[in-house]
Amino acid sequence: MGFIPEWAIGVGVIIFAVALAQIVVVKLRASVRTLPASDNEIGELRQAFDAMQNRLGELEERLDFTERILTKQREADRLEPPPH
């Protein structure tokens, strides 16, 4: 238990980086203008943040599922009698 596949960590980092980049781009667009951020820009930021939260939640669910499957497989391997 406690084993996280390397690919799962990589996927999580990529998803997080893409979502964070979206937020940064929207924020940079807003800061380039001299006018205060419009409601539309704030809405875009919120949507990007919500998308990042949703993707991270899905990743957590998939990681939990993968850990459960790996744990079951390891337990089954331990309980099997050794081949003669």
Side-chain angles (χ1 to χ4, degrees):
M1 200 156 141
F3 170 73
I4 300 175
E6 292 176 9
W7 61 265
I9 294 171
V11 169
V13 168
I14 291 169
I15 290 173
F16 181 75
V18 168
L20 188 60
Q22 289 174 344
I23 291 173
V24 168
V25 167
V26 170
K27 204 163 187 137
L28 284 175
R29 280 188 204 158
S31 68
V32 168
R33 299 181 185 153
T34 57
L35 300 174
S38 68
D39 289 339
N40 188 30
E41 291 169 337
I42 292 171
E44 286 179 20
L45 259 178
R46 285 187 177 149
Q47 286 178 344
F49 184 72
D50 288 342
M52 181 180 69
Q53 284 182 321
N54 288 338
R55 290 176 134 184
L56 190 56
E58 289 174 9
L59 179 63
E60 287 174 344
E61 289 176 14
R62 290 179 182 193
L63 183 59
D64 289 343
F65 176 76
T66 303
E67 287 176 341
R68 284 194 305 271
I69 295 295
L70 287 172
T71 300
K72 284 181 183 179
Q73 182 180 7
R74 285 192 193 125
E75 288 176 0
D77 290 345
R78 275 191 296 159
L79 296 176
E80 287 181 8
H84 291 278

